[in-house]
Amino acid sequence: MLAVLLALTLAQAQVAVGSIKVAPSTTVNIDLSKLKGKLVRQLAWSPDASELYLMTYDPNQDASIKKAYHFMIPVATGVPKAVEAAPKWAEEYWTWKSGQASPDDPALRIDVSTERKRVSAVSLPFGGDLARGGTEGSATSGLSTESAMAAANASQMSDVRTMRLKGQVVGEWVNHPIVPGQTFGWGPKGTSLFAYAEQKAGHLVMMNHAGDRQTVDGTREVSHPAFSNDGSRLAYLEGRGRNKFALVVAVVQK
């Protein structure tokens, strides 16, 4: 009986994603050529939602972090300020935002798989620059010269690492280690929401824990979706060409 009551409670708590509106309220231009770091690693909200923490980094050959750089971005001004280290709250935030399990339901988990297979060029965005937190090519393709060459050689066997939730691919990396949180973000506890970048064009998709989905119109090359701690706002990056992003802060209306 207890299990039935719990199931009913969770079903009643589901947010109808079709009624959610994601309305951009602030857009900030981020140019990595003017900041330190070649790629983006993390985007996190402060507890009071007044600031965003941005981590960029220079990668090693194995895609691990060679050197990390830290920036605070006041939402009111949108001007990045370099700091020496990540604030403590950023680590706590990233733990639940990028975790394998839902903050609301530990039993709801992202499935992770690894397989070796032949891939086509369309599989590369998550395995190329977008998966690494950057879009170093054109604003339309999101592929750097390196990724374009990889696309040309896509007939070779590759290691494909995939994350799925409710049957949907929420992250895929080709010949690259999984980086949790780059292509998705859980909503905070009590919201039963999940945001991710769809696999091909990187459109922003909202999903509830029942698996109902809604694509947010006008979005593309999205990465690092991040809900504020109260779930009322969503920040994310959109690729805007070589080393450039739009940092979008949107209001989530339920």
Side-chain angles (χ1 to χ4, degrees), residues 16-26 193-196 204-207 214-219 222 225-227 231-236 238 248-254:
V17 292
S19 64
I20 293 177
K21 294 182 179 179
V22 179
S25 60
T26 304
L193 286 176
F194 183 85
Y196 68 98
L204 178 66
V205 180
M206 302 288 284
M207 179 191 292
Q214 175 184 326
T215 300
V216 179
D217 293 337
T219 57
V222 168
F227 286 94
S232 66
R233 285 190 278 184
L234 179 68
Y236 54 92
E238 285 193 345
V248 181
V249 176
V251 176
V252 180
Q253 301 172 338
K254 302 177 184 178

Side-chain angles (χ1 to χ4, degrees), residues 116-131:
R116 188 162 180 79
K117 63 180 183 180
R118 295 187 184 278
V119 297
S120 61
V122 295
S123 299
L124 280 173
F126 283 150
D129 297 317
L130 183 58

Side-chain angles (χ1 to χ4, degrees), residues 28-32 34-36 43 51-56 70-83 237 245 247:
V28 177
N29 293 321
I30 301 293
D31 188 344
L32 294 186
K34 296 180 180 179
L35 300 177
K36 291 183 178 180
L43 182 66
E51 294 180 295
L52 287 161
Y53 162 71
L54 177 71
M55 178 197 289
T56 64
H70 312 278
F71 302 90
M72 300 302 301
I73 306 176
V75 175
T77 65
V79 179
K81 179 182 178 182
V83 294
L237 296 173
F245 301 88
L247 170 58

Side-chain angles (χ1 to χ4, degrees), residues 76-144:
T77 65
V79 179
K81 179 182 178 182
V83 294
E84 290 296 321
K88 182 179 179 180
W89 51 257
E91 181 178 353
E92 297 171 352
Y93 175 93
W94 198 254
T95 298
W96 63 259
K97 182 267 187 195
S98 65
Q100 189 174 357
S102 162
D104 282 301
D105 181 7
L108 180 60
R109 299 173 63 84
I110 297 172
D111 297 321
V112 180
S113 64
T114 302
E115 59 183 321
R116 188 162 180 79
K117 63 180 183 180
R118 295 187 184 278
V119 297
S120 61
V122 295
S123 299
L124 280 173
F126 283 150
D129 297 317
L130 183 58
R132 294 193 293 267
T135 50
E136 294 189 328
S138 68
T140 55
S141 69
L143 295 175
S144 66

Side-chain angles (χ1 to χ4, degrees), residues 165-236:
L165 182 66
K166 292 292 182 177
Q168 300 300 311
V169 175
V170 299
E172 185 172 89
W173 290 260
V174 180
N175 293 329
H176 192 284
I178 287 176
V179 184
Q182 283 194 330
T183 58
F184 69 86
W186 292 102
K189 189 172 183 178
T191 63
S192 297
L193 286 176
F194 183 85
Y196 68 98
E198 60 90 20
Q199 188 179 6
K200 293 183 179 179
H203 298 306
L204 178 66
V205 180
M206 302 288 284
M207 179 191 292
N208 64 16
H209 287 191
D212 302 321
R213 305 184 307 280
Q214 175 184 326
T215 300
V216 179
D217 293 337
T219 57
R220 61 184 176 88
E221 294 188 33
V222 168
S223 68
H224 301 82
F227 286 94
S228 60
N229 286 269
D230 63 0
S232 66
R233 285 190 278 184
L234 179 68
Y236 54 92

